[in-house]
Amino acid sequence: MQKIGVIVIHGLGLQKKEFALKFMKKLDKAFAGMMNAPSSNPYIDIEPVFWGDVFGEDEERIYRDLVLNKKLRYKKLRRYLVYYLADAVAYQPVDTNGQNYDAVHQSISNALHSLSKRIGKTAPLFVVSHSLGTVIASNFFYDLQFTSRHFPGIIDITSPLERGETLTHFYSLGTTLPLWSLRYRDFSKPIRVPSLEGEELYPGLEGEWVNFYDKDDILGYPLREIDPAYEKAVKADVSINVGNLLTSWNPFCHTSYMKDKKVVNHIADRLAVAYRYMNTEFPQR
């Protein structure tokens, strides 16, 4: 039986390695309910992508040396800004050396390698990304799909999954990608979801790119209006209200997408459809 692979990529801010744990539990419960099974484990395999450690040590040093040691005011606010702004500043598309860019992307490559080893080199791939994580995921798959630059971190170059060729579904949550479009004069070439290779590998499996945003989230935006190419690439911009009584009506809702029932249920439903296709309808090789 062919499992479906899922990677989860976090966004801006101070993150823990366990950032995806609650989301994984919610997705497990929703998916298992749809499959009438005790657990999602026999059907899907989820690999979190933790890239926060790439900048975390230096961000902590800046906060300690420049804020705490110099006794600057508004320490809590400064800590928040250091970890949010520094991530966006430190992560940049390839420059003269691309060290930070490649280091962050290596985290995704490592996750894909782990999935490939566990569930096979041609397993369909779902990507769930939050905030800056969508920018990172978009750049990662863009480089694989459109550029001649061969990402040096791919561990097994014979694996279609690791080369991004099995990408079928992409879910962006509270994305800052529209703001990054200002960096380019021409921002009319979004990644292909599903990938061209994915369409050939799984004829009949309908992939999608769905973007979720909250109107109260100042860091989350619709995508289809960026450019006609994005209108075609993104199946839907879905406006939702995430968060609890304290956060659902203000910008602090930005951190609540992975807890939202509508988001989780939509992804779980698509995972169930993909699993059934791969194991009942998919033409036998």
Side-chain angles (χ1 to χ4, degrees):
M1 305 298 282
Q2 177 60 65
K3 283 188 174 184
I4 309 299
V6 183
I7 60 172
V8 185
I9 308 172
H10 69 75
L12 295 159
L14 183 60
Q15 301 285 345
K16 298 180 180 179
K17 288 185 178 181
E18 302 80 17
F19 76 93
L21 187 58
K22 291 183 179 179
F23 171 75
M24 292 167 65
K25 289 181 178 179
K26 288 180 178 293
L27 190 62
D28 173 82
K29 182 178 180 180
F31 181 88
M34 293 175 184
M35 299 295 290
N36 194 27
S39 169
S40 67
N41 185 60
Y43 310 99
I44 64 177
D45 196 320
I46 307 174
E47 182 71 23
V49 178
F50 177 66
W51 55 266
D53 56 344
V54 175
F55 308 126
E57 185 175 329
D58 288 333
E59 289 169 346
E60 184 62 30
R61 176 182 54 79
I62 288 174
Y63 178 73
R64 181 188 66 244
D65 294 349
L66 302 185
V67 178
L68 295 182
N69 291 353
K70 297 299 181 181
K71 298 181 180 179
L72 300 183
R73 297 187 179 93
Y74 307 111
K75 290 182 177 59
K76 290 185 179 180
L77 180 58
R78 287 180 187 274
R79 183 176 179 81
Y80 176 86
L81 290 176
V82 164
Y83 278 93
Y84 269 75
L85 292 180
D87 281 347
V89 171
Y91 173 75
Q92 296 292 333
V94 181
D95 50 23
T96 54
N97 55 55
Q99 291 180 356
N100 287 343
Y101 186 84
D102 285 342
V104 171
H105 287 195
Q106 184 67 60
S107 301
I108 301 179
S109 188
N110 292 344
L112 296 181
H113 179 67
S114 295
L115 277 179
S116 182
K117 287 175 63 179
R118 293 198 300 266
I119 63 176
K121 296 182 178 182
T122 58
L125 176 66
F126 279 54
V127 175
V128 181
S129 58
H130 175 239
S131 188
L132 181 63
T134 297
V135 177
I136 293 170
S138 177
N139 285 339
F140 179 86
F141 288 102
Y142 183 94
D143 285 347
L144 293 177
Q145 292 181 359
F146 297 118
T147 72
S148 58
R149 176 180 179 270
H150 298 289
F151 177 58
I154 297 177
I155 299 172
D156 181 4
I157 61 173
T158 69
S159 169
L161 191 154
E162 293 187 52
R163 297 197 304 266
E165 295 173 3
T166 68
L167 172 66
T168 59
H169 294 71
F170 192 10
Y171 298 99
S172 48
L173 318 177
T175 181
T176 58
L177 188 59
L179 302 181
W180 286 73
S181 69
L182 299 173
R183 183 182 177 90
Y184 305 93
R185 289 182 179 272
D186 184 8
F187 201 69
S188 59
K189 203 170 186 180
I191 62 172
R192 298 188 184 109
V193 184
S195 66
L196 290 179
E197 297 86 355
E199 290 181 337
E200 294 178 359
L201 281 169
Y202 322 116
L205 176 59
E206 183 180 353
E208 63 178 11
W209 180 351
V210 174
N211 177 57
F212 294 92
Y213 71 98
D214 189 314
K215 293 180 180 179
D216 296 311
D217 177 13
I218 61 174
L219 293 174
Y221 295 89
L223 287 176
R224 286 167 55 85
E225 300 301 320
I226 299 178
D227 184 272
Y230 274 84
E231 185 176 8
K232 182 178 180 181
V234 180
K235 180 179 179 180
D237 283 315
V238 181
S239 176
I240 56 176
N241 185 34
V242 300
N244 54 34
L245 289 175
L246 297 177
T247 63
S248 64
W249 50 273
N250 60 58
F252 288 102
C253 66
H254 181 68
T255 61
S256 300
Y257 287 91
M258 290 189 187
K259 305 172 187 175
D260 187 78
K261 187 175 182 179
K262 290 183 179 179
V263 172
V264 172
N265 284 349
H266 181 93
I267 297 173
D269 176 72
R270 294 297 92 192
L271 280 166
V273 170
Y275 180 82
R276 293 188 184 104
Y277 168 82
M278 290 299 298
N279 293 284
T280 60
E281 301 176 30
F282 186 56
Q284 298 296 316
R285 291 195 175 98

